[in-house]
Amino acid sequence: MDSADDGGRELILRTATRLFAALGYDCSSVAQVAEAAGVGQEEIHAHFPTKRELYLAVMEQARNVLAEGIRPRVDALMAAPPERRARALHDFIDGYLDLCVAHPEMPALWMHRWLSDASDIVSLEAENAQPLTQYVVEGVDTLAAPAGADPLHTTYTLIWCTHAFVVSGVLDGSGVRRGIDDQRQLRRFRAHLHQLLGRALGLPEPEAGQRVPGL
C-alpha cells in the first residue's frame, strides 16, 4: 500500500492526476488531494507550493508518458517506405489508442481542458502540448502530403476520436454505454480508426487476414 513515506511526491502526483481527471482542475482542491492521498496539506505544499504548480506537474508527467510511448511510432511513420506506410500507420494508431486505454486519465485531463478547465493557465498548450503535437503532425504529413490530405486535421481526427471513445465510449443498440472495458467495442473502434485514417491518407485497405478479428 502506498504511503507518504514511500510514495512521497509520486503518491501526491498520482492522486492529483486521478482527481483532476475525474473532476477537473477548477473543481478540485489541495484539501481533496490531501484527503485522497492520506497526507497533510503541508506535505503537498512542501512539494508543490500551489495548486497551479501541482496541476502543471501533473500535465507535464502526462505529456512525458505520452511522448515516451508515441515518439518511436512517429519515427517509424516518418521512416516507412511506401509499401510499409499502411502498416506503420496502423502501428501508430494502435500505439496512441493503447496508451490512452492504459492511461485514461490523459484524455480525461485534456477533455476537461478543452471545456475551459484551468483557463487561467494560458501557457499550457504552447509549452506542454504543442511541441509534441507538432512532431506528430510532421510525422503524419509524411503520409498526408502524397494524398493531398490535411496533416493537422488528420492528426486531430485521431486525437478527438480516441479521447472521446476512451472517456465516453458509445451507446449500443439497447442504450447501454460501452467503452474501453468492452473488448468487442474496443476492437471495432480500432478497426474504424484504421479504416478512417487509412482512407483519408489514400492507403490500401488491409487484406482480409490482416483485419481486426471479432467484428
Side-chain angles (χ1 to χ4, degrees):
M1 181 177 177
D2 287 324
S3 71
D5 291 333
D6 58 24
R9 185 178 188 274
E10 291 305 312
L11 170 62
I12 294 167
L13 273 177
R14 285 196 302 272
T15 305
T17 297
R18 290 197 301 269
L19 279 173
F20 291 152
L23 304 177
Y25 172 82
D26 293 334
C27 292
S28 302
S29 67
V30 172
Q32 287 173 306
V33 175
E35 181 179 0
V39 302
Q41 292 187 53
E42 66 280 358
E43 179 164 353
I44 293 179
H45 289 307
H47 293 287
F48 307 100
T50 66
K51 187 175 82 163
R52 175 192 176 98
E53 290 181 55
L54 176 57
Y55 178 70
L56 290 175
V58 164
M59 298 303 286
E60 180 181 12
Q61 185 176 73
R63 189 271 317 277
N64 291 343
V65 169
L66 180 58
E68 183 178 351
I70 211 65
R71 276 186 177 274
R73 308 273 183 153
V74 177
D75 292 342
L77 201 62
M78 291 178 173
E83 68 275 11
R84 287 281 302 165
R85 284 177 177 171
R87 181 68 267 164
L89 176 66
H90 290 184
D91 289 344
F92 168 67
I93 292 169
D94 290 343
Y96 190 78
L97 176 58
D98 290 343
L99 197 61
C100 288
V101 168
H103 300 278
E105 68 278 2
M106 290 194 300
L109 285 166
W110 278 105
M111 288 187 75
H112 278 297
R113 181 98 185 141
W114 295 346
L115 295 173
S116 300
D117 188 45
S119 60
D120 57 313
I121 305 178
V122 297
S123 62
L124 185 62
E125 279 73 15
E127 296 176 1
N128 181 300
Q130 182 57 28
L132 180 60
T133 301
Q134 185 58 39
Y135 188 72
V136 174
V137 171
E138 291 169 5
V140 170
D141 192 39
T142 306
L143 281 62
D150 187 314
L152 177 66
H153 287 279
T154 300
T155 298
Y156 271 98
T157 296
L158 171 65
I159 294 171
W160 292 328
C161 290
T162 301
H163 287 204
F165 179 77
V166 170
V167 172
S168 297
V170 296
L171 296 180
D172 67 11
S174 62
V176 176
R177 192 170 296 280
R178 307 287 185 182
I180 58 177
D181 294 329
D182 185 313
Q183 291 303 307
R184 183 172 184 271
Q185 289 296 341
L186 182 57
R187 287 195 299 270
R188 288 182 64 182
F189 179 69
R190 188 186 304 274
H192 171 68
L193 284 182
H194 288 182
Q195 183 182 75
L196 178 68
L197 295 183
R199 288 182 177 179
L201 295 171
L203 297 173
E205 297 280 349
E207 297 178 5
Q210 297 177 312
R211 291 176 186 155
V212 177
L215 302 182

